[in-house]
């Protein structure tokens, strides 16, 4: 069972890391859609590079977590908290187009559970 949990974490963690890396890249490039979404939930413009850095570090941590379990757990906790914050930001701004943030919260929580169980 342990090996199947590890394989599941590897799949979920790597896919989540790819999504985070893409999002970090688009955020740093100031992609129009990303910037519009951030403005909609009232994220100050100077925060964009910091948020991109958090996503990039989360992606690196999830992949490194394949070899170093505590790092994978820590990264999954951080990414889960990041997306919980994103959901809260959408709700506070009364922006109910929060499906991407909500889904990523669940995927990050799944990565956390899988890494703990592996």
């Amino acid at each position: 069972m342990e090996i199947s949990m590890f394989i599941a974490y590897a799949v979920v963690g790597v896919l989540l890391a790819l999504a985070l890396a893409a999002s970090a890249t688009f955020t740093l490039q100031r992609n129009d859609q990303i910037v519009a979404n951030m403005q909609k939930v009232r994220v100050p413009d100077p925060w964009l590079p910091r948020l991109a850095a958090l996503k990039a570090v989360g992606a690196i941590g999830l992949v490194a977590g394949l070899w170093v379990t505590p790092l994978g757990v820590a990264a999954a906790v951080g990414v889960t908290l990041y997306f919980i914050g994103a959901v809260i930001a959408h709700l506070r701004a009364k922006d109910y187009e929060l499906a991407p943030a909500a889904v990523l919260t669940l995927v990050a929580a799944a990565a956390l559970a899988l890494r703990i169980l592996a």
Side-chain angles (χ1 to χ4, degrees):
M1 169 123 150
E2 189 173 307
I3 192 74
S4 61
M5 288 296 158
F6 177 78
I7 292 169
Y9 169 75
V11 170
V12 172
V14 169
L15 290 175
L16 181 56
L18 289 171
L20 288 167
S23 181
T25 301
F26 291 142
T27 302
L28 286 174
Q29 293 173 341
R30 298 198 177 279
N31 173 279
D32 292 340
Q33 186 177 358
I34 298 280
V35 171
N37 284 335
M38 294 289 195
Q39 289 174 342
K40 196 176 356 175
V41 296
R42 299 183 204 118
V43 172
D45 196 53
W47 286 19
L48 295 182
R50 294 180 198 129
L51 295 175
L54 288 173
K55 290 184 241 183
V57 168
I60 292 166
L62 289 168
V63 173
L66 292 168
W67 293 276
V68 183
T69 301
L71 187 54
V73 170
V77 167
V79 173
T80 302
L81 292 173
Y82 177 93
F83 285 112
I84 288 172
V87 168
I88 291 168
H90 281 274
L91 293 173
R92 288 182 67 190
K94 295 185 182 4
D95 173 29
Y96 301 110
E97 294 177 25
L98 51 86
V103 168
L104 288 169
T105 302
L106 295 175
V107 173
L112 173 60
L114 289 168
R115 194 60 193 118
I116 289 170
L117 294 172

